[in-house]
Amino acid sequence: MLRSLKNLVWKNMGTKKQGLFIILSSPSGAGKTTLSKKLLKNNKNIELSISYTTRKKRPLEKNNKDYNFVSEEEFEKLKKKKYFIEWAKVFNNYYGTSLIKVKKINNKGKDVLFDIDWQGSRKIKKKLGKNVVSIFILPPSKKELIKRLKKRAQDPDHIVKQRLSFYKMELSHWKDYKYVLINKNLSDTVKKIKTIIEAERYENFVPVKNLTKQKIKIIYEAKRIAIQKKNLIFKKIRSL
Ligand code: 5GP
């Protein structure tokens, strides 16, 4: 099944409208879920890969919209059936990405948005490789992250504490990503992500001869954002 997804991506090169595989990862509380919602709003070209999880539903979450909430037994069955393109244990719960759903979105020529952790990102990159765009979101400070986790107020105290205990480990994976953004201001971060996506579409799908000055400008803007990762982020990361 995986091979057929890869074949499909290659086969469509130059013939059908193609889509990117966009990965958003971050330590819990950096604002990734809010960012994905903003990104999906009024953007018919991107669809979220709704994951399966054994985690308990939060009060404001909706089944089949935020996640497909399943029992451990159901998750295990799906795993055995090779239903997931990737799955991982995160904070003592299981999370998995449906291969069929990814394929469906990709078949429509749309971008697939993955809100997944560093383990999932590694597997998606390995399995899909080409057309994968990986973005890591950092909070402006640890203080701000704690504030956001508490403000969300949908998790009990012991869960917030548990998530904070994973913070440094999760943070340490930022280097695996092509783009690293500090989410200080929500609309600025959304704007940067949109620029990255636009640039990656041009770079991946537009023949060089069709790249206009405007398109090249956007590609450079995204490259500038990627370079920031090396300079700015190195210093920043020590303070987080
Ligand atoms: P939360 O419980 O806060 O919704 O998510 C916890 C973590 O699991 C987040 O980092 C989220 O991105 C990640 N996650 C959500 N779905 C998946 C998935 O299908 N696969 C993997 N590997 N991680 C996921």
Side-chain angles (χ1 to χ4, degrees), residues 24-77:
L24 275 192
S25 298
S26 76
S28 195
K32 177 182 37 149
T33 308
T34 317
L35 281 171
S36 351
K37 283 189 179 150
K38 289 252 173 211
L39 213 58
L40 293 163
K41 209 174 166 197
N42 305 325
N43 199 335
K44 292 202 169 72
N45 211 36
I46 310 177
E47 258 186 58
L48 179 70
S49 150
I50 300 170
S51 297
Y52 284 70
T53 184
T54 60
R55 164 167 78 63
K56 277 208 182 106
K57 191 169 83 62
R58 293 185 185 126
L60 297 179
E61 285 178 328
K62 289 199 174 80
N63 192 22
N64 302 327
K65 191 163 179 276
D66 296 291
Y67 280 107
N68 296 290
F69 294 94
V70 291
S71 66
E72 286 206 13
E73 292 75 39
E74 284 172 280
F75 195 92
E76 195 56 37
K77 270 191 205 159

Side-chain angles (χ1 to χ4, degrees), residues 140-177:
S141 64
K142 189 171 180 188
K143 215 166 132 190
E144 182 61 30
L145 177 117
I146 297 171
K147 209 171 101 189
R148 286 180 192 171
L149 274 177
K150 288 191 175 156
K151 200 174 141 205
R152 182 157 77 189
Q154 287 203 58
D155 288 324
D157 281 355
H158 72 279
I159 298 284
V160 173
K161 268 196 192 138
Q162 184 202 44
R163 292 193 166 215
L164 278 171
S165 70
F166 282 93
Y167 171 68
K168 283 269 174 214
M169 183 278 291
E170 289 197 289
L171 200 64
S172 70
H173 293 283
W174 68 276
K175 285 189 208 118
D176 297 346
Y177 292 73

Side-chain angles (χ1 to χ4, degrees), residues 4-39:
S4 61
L5 179 59
K6 263 193 172 170
N7 285 345
L8 181 114
V9 173
W10 306 135
K11 220 168 69 190
N12 284 346
M13 287 286 280
T15 53
K16 214 173 109 184
K17 190 169 171 277
Q18 295 179 79
L20 299 166
F21 301 108
I22 306 157
I23 301 174
L24 275 192
S25 298
S26 76
S28 195
K32 177 182 37 149
T33 308
T34 317
L35 281 171
S36 351
K37 283 189 179 150
K38 289 252 173 211
L39 213 58

